[in-house]
C-alpha cells in the first residue's frame, strides 16, 4: 500500500519539465521516453508589456532571438497567462499517511511560482519591521488563488512556508519564531548607526591628533576599510549560498519562478561586467561561486524582483540625530552628502542589473511596498517561453549574450540576457566524498532536482537490547528505537545506462542524518547503491520507482528531525527532504510486510557517512 502511495505521489510530479531534450518513442505504448544527452536547449521566459500592460496573444513569429548576434531558430513557443482562481481551486497534494513524506514541491500545475525572501542579512533592523508590517497588509488583501512561499535570510537561509494560497497559513508563517524574535542585527551588515559611529570616532581622533601626526588617522581609516571589506565579502558569500539553495529547491517546479526579494542592499551580481570582475577579485570573492549561482538560477528559471526595503531614499547625513562631527561642516558635509548619493546610485544600479540579468523588475524609492509586491506578481504572471537549440555547440564556459526583439514597435521585453555555456551540470558538488553534505544542513530548503518518497516506521519486532547499533554514531548511548527508512525515487530522475546484456546500471548515494530538537546530531547512516537491473527488474522500477532501504537507531521516545538526501552519480543531481518526526504519530510496521520492489539491488557499498 505504501509503495502505491509513493508511486502516486511521485507521479504527481511526472509532468515536471526538465531542460534535457526528450524524444518520445512512437513504436508502441509500452515504450518509454528516451533521454538524449547530445542535445542542448536554451529556455528563455519573456515578459512583454505595452503601455505598462501585459501584451497577450503574441506568436512565435512576433519574436526573433539572437545569441551573440547570430539569429536562432525558435523550436518551441508557449504563452502563459495568469488565472484569477477562487479559494480552493488549486488541488493540493494528497495528504500523506502517518510516517510517509515526499519532497515533491506543492506548486501549482501551471503559471509562475512566487517566492518571498525576507532578507535581514542585508537590511537595516528598522526597515525589517516595515517590510513585515506591509507584508501583513498585502496578505490580507491578496488576490484569491495567489500562491507564494516564504523564506528568510539571516546568518543562513530558513524555510518558513511552502507554496500556499491560504492567507491564514501565510500570516502564521510571518509570525514564525525564526522571524518573530524581532528585527535581526547581523554582525556582517554595517548599519547606518555603525557608519555614523565610525565617522564620529574618526572625527574625535582627527581632533585629538590635529597638528601632530597623520599616521594614526591613516591606520584607523585602513582598519575601518578592512572591516567593511570583510563584512561585505561575508555577506556576499552567504547571499550567494542562499540563492543557490533557493534555485535547487525550485529546480523541479515547472515554469517561471519569481523571487521577490526584500532587502536594503543587494551585494551580488549574477553576470558581472568586466569592471565588476575586477572588484570581485579585489574583494576576494570566488568567481566560480558566482558562476554556479548564475547556472542554477538559469536552469531553474528564476527571475529576481528586488524590492528596496528602505522605502523612499533619504539623506541620512541631514538627520536630526546626527551631530556636526558626523554630518560634517562645509566641504565635509558636501562630501558626506555626495557619498550617500553615490551609495544610493550604486544600490539602484545593482537592483536594476540583478533584475535585468534574470528577467525580473526592480522596485525602489517607494514607501508602498504592498503595491510593489503586487506589481512584481502581476509582472511575472504573464509571460512567454521561447526555446531554441543554439547554433554554437561549443561548451567552453564562456558567457553567451541573448537578445530578443519584437517584430512590432511599442513592446517592452524583460528576459534573461545570457547564460554561461558550462559543460558541467549545475549543482555539481566539488567535494568528494560527501556530495550531499552542503545540501543537508538542518533548516535549509529541500532540493528537488531528484524527487522521492520516504516512509519511516519503527521496526517490529525491535532488536534485542544487546544487538549492534544501526547507524554510524558509535557513541550513541541509552535506550533506543530502531526505525526502518524506505526511499522510493522517481526513476526518470536517475540516469540508467543500458549494457549489451540488456541490464541497466545506475549509482545512487543515500544519506540520513537525525538531529534532536536542539539541532544536535544524534545518529546518521547511508551509503552508495550500485544497481544492476535485469530486464524484469528494470520494468518493475519503471512502474514503482527506485527503492532504497536503511535502518537507524534513535533515542527511544524522543522527537527528532530527519534530514535525508539522494544523489545520482550519473546526472550529478540531488534531492533532499527534511521531516520532523514524532514517534507517537508514526505507524507500526508488521513483521510480514512485503519487501520493496527490487530488493536484489546491491546494498550500500560505502561505509563512511
Amino acid at each position: 500500500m505504501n509503495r502505491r502511495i509513493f508511486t502516486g505521489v511521485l507521479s504527481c510530479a511526472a509532468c515536471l519539465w526538465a531542460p534535457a531534450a526528450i524524444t518520445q518513442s512512437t513504436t508502441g505504448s509500452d515504450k518509454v521516453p528516451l533521454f538524449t544527452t547530445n542535445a542542448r536547449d536554451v529556455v528563455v521566459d519573456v515578459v512583454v508589456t505595452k503601455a505598462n500592460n501585459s501584451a497577450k496573444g503574441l506568436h512565435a513569429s512576433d519574436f526573433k532571438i539572437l545569441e551573440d548576434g547570430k539569429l536562432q531558430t525558435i523550436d518551441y513557443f508557449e504563452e502563459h497567462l495568469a488565472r484569477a482562481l477562487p479559494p480552493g481551486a488549486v488541488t493540493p497534494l494528497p495528504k500523506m499517511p502517518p510516517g510517509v513524506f515526499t519532497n515533491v514541491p506543492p506548486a501549482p500545475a501551471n503559471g509562475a511560482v512566487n517566492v518571498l525572501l525576507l532578507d535581514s542579512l542585508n537590511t537595516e533592523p528598522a526597515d525589517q519591521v516595515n517590510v513585515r508590517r506591509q507584508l501583513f497588509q498585502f496578505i490580507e488583501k491578496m488576490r484569491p488563488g495567489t500562491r507564494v512561499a516564504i523564506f528568510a535570510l539571516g546568518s543562513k537561509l530558513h524555510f518558513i512556508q511552502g507554496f500556499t494560497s491560504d492567507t491564514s497559513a501565510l500570516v502564521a508563517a510571518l509570525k514564525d519564531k525564526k522571524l518573530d524574535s524581532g528585527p535581526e542585527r547581523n554582525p556582517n551588515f554595517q548599519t547606518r548607526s555603525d557608519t555614523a559611529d565610525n565617522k564620529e570616532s574618526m572625527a574625535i581622533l582627527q581632533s585629538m591628533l590635529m597638528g601632530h601626526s597623520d599616521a594614526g588617522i591613516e591606520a584607523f581609516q585602513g582598519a575601518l576599510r578592512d572591516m567593511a571589506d570583510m563584512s561585505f565579502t561575508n555577506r556576499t558569500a552567504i547571499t550567494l549560498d542562499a540563492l543557490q539553495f533557493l534555485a535547487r529547491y525550485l529546480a523541479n517546479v515547472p515554469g517561471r519562478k519569481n523571487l521577490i526579494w526584500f532587502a536594503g542592499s543587494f551585494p551580488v551580481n549574477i553576470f558581472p561586467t568586466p569592471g565588476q570582475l575586477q572588484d570581485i577579485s579585489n574583494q576576494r570573492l570566488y568567481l566560480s561561486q558566482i558562476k554556479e549561482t548564475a547556472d542554477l538560477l538559469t536552469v531553474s528559471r528564476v527571475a529576481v524582483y528586488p524590492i528596496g526595503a528602505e522605502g523612499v531614499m533619504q539623506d541620512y547625513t541631514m538627520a536630526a540625530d546626527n551631530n556636526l562631527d558626523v554630518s560634517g561642516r562645509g566641504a565635509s558635509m558636501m562630501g558626506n552628502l555626495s557619498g550617500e548619493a553615490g551609495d544610493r546610485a550604486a544600490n539602484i544600479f545593482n537592483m536594476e542589473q540583478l533584475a535585468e540579468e534574470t528577467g525580473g523588475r526592480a522596485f525602489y524609492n517607494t514607501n508602498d511596498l504592498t503595491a510593489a509586491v503586487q506589481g512584481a506578481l502581476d509582472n511575472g504572471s504573464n509571460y512567454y517561453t521561447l526555446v531554441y537549440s543554439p547554433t554554437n555547440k561549443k561548451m567552453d564556459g564562456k558567457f553567451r549574450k541573448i537578445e530578443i526583439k519584437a517584430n512590432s514597435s511599442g513592446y517592452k521585453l524583460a528576459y534573461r540576457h545570457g547564460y554561461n555555456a558550462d559543460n558541467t551540470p549545475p549543482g555539481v558538488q566539488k567535494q568528494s566524498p560527501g556530495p550531499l553534505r552542503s545540501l543537508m544542513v538542518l533548516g535549509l530548503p529541500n532540493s528537488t532536482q531528484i524527487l522521492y518518497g520516504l516512509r519511516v516506521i519503527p521496526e517490529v519486532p525491535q532488536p534485542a537490547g544487546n544487538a549492534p547499533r544501526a547507524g554510524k554514531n558509535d557513541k550513541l548511548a541509552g535506550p533506543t528505537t530502531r526505525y526502518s527508512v524506505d526511499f522510493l525515487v522517481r526513476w526518470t530522475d536517475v540516469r540508467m545506462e543500458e549494457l549489451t546484456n540488456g541490464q541497466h546500471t545506475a549509482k545512487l548515494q543515500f544519506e540520513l542524518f537525525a538531529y534532536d530538537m536542539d539541532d544536535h546530531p544524534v545518529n546518521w547512516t547511508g551509503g552508495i547503491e550500485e544497481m544492476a537491473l535485469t530486464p524484469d527488474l528494470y520494468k518493475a522500477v519503471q512502474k514503482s520507482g527506485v527503492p532504497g532501504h536503511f535502518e537507524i537507531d534513535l533515542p527511544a521516545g524522543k522527537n527528532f528531525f530527519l534530514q535525508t538526501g539522494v544523489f545520482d552519480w550519473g546526472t550529478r543531481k540531488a534531492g533532499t527532504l527534511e521531516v520532523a518526526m514524532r514517534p507517537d504519530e508514526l505507524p507500526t510496521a508488521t513483521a510480514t510486510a512485503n519487501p520493496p520492489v527490487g530488493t536484489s539491488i546491491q546494498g550500500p557499498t560505502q561505509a563512511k557517512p
Side-chain angles (χ1 to χ4, degrees), residues 359-392:
R361 177 183 168 190
F363 296 82
Y364 48 83
N365 204 28
T366 175
N367 286 330
D368 192 352
L369 300 187
T370 58
V373 177
Q374 191 59 59
L377 295 177
D378 292 342
N379 180 267
S381 296
N382 301 285
Y383 64 97
Y384 298 89
T385 296
L386 285 68
V387 182
Y388 69 94
S389 181
T391 55
N392 184 353

Side-chain angles (χ1 to χ4, degrees), residues 196-206 220 224 325-326:
D197 289 343
N198 289 343
K199 290 180 178 179
E200 186 172 7
S201 298
M202 180 59 65
I204 293 172
L205 183 61
Q206 287 175 326
F220 188 54
L224 291 178
D325 291 329
V326 174

Side-chain angles (χ1 to χ4, degrees), residues 436 487 489 508-512 525-529 547-548 550 565-566:
L436 287 165
F487 292 80
V489 181
L508 290 179
Q509 182 163 336
F510 296 86
E511 297 289 355
L512 296 87
T525 189
I528 291 176
E529 286 191 355
F550 294 89
V566 179

Side-chain angles (χ1 to χ4, degrees), residues 496 502-505 531-538 541 546 598 600-601:
M496 297 188 181
Q503 289 189 339
H504 286 77
T505 63
M531 295 172 279
L533 300 175
T534 64
D536 288 342
L537 277 178
Y538 181 60
V541 163
V546 181
S600 61
I601 292 175

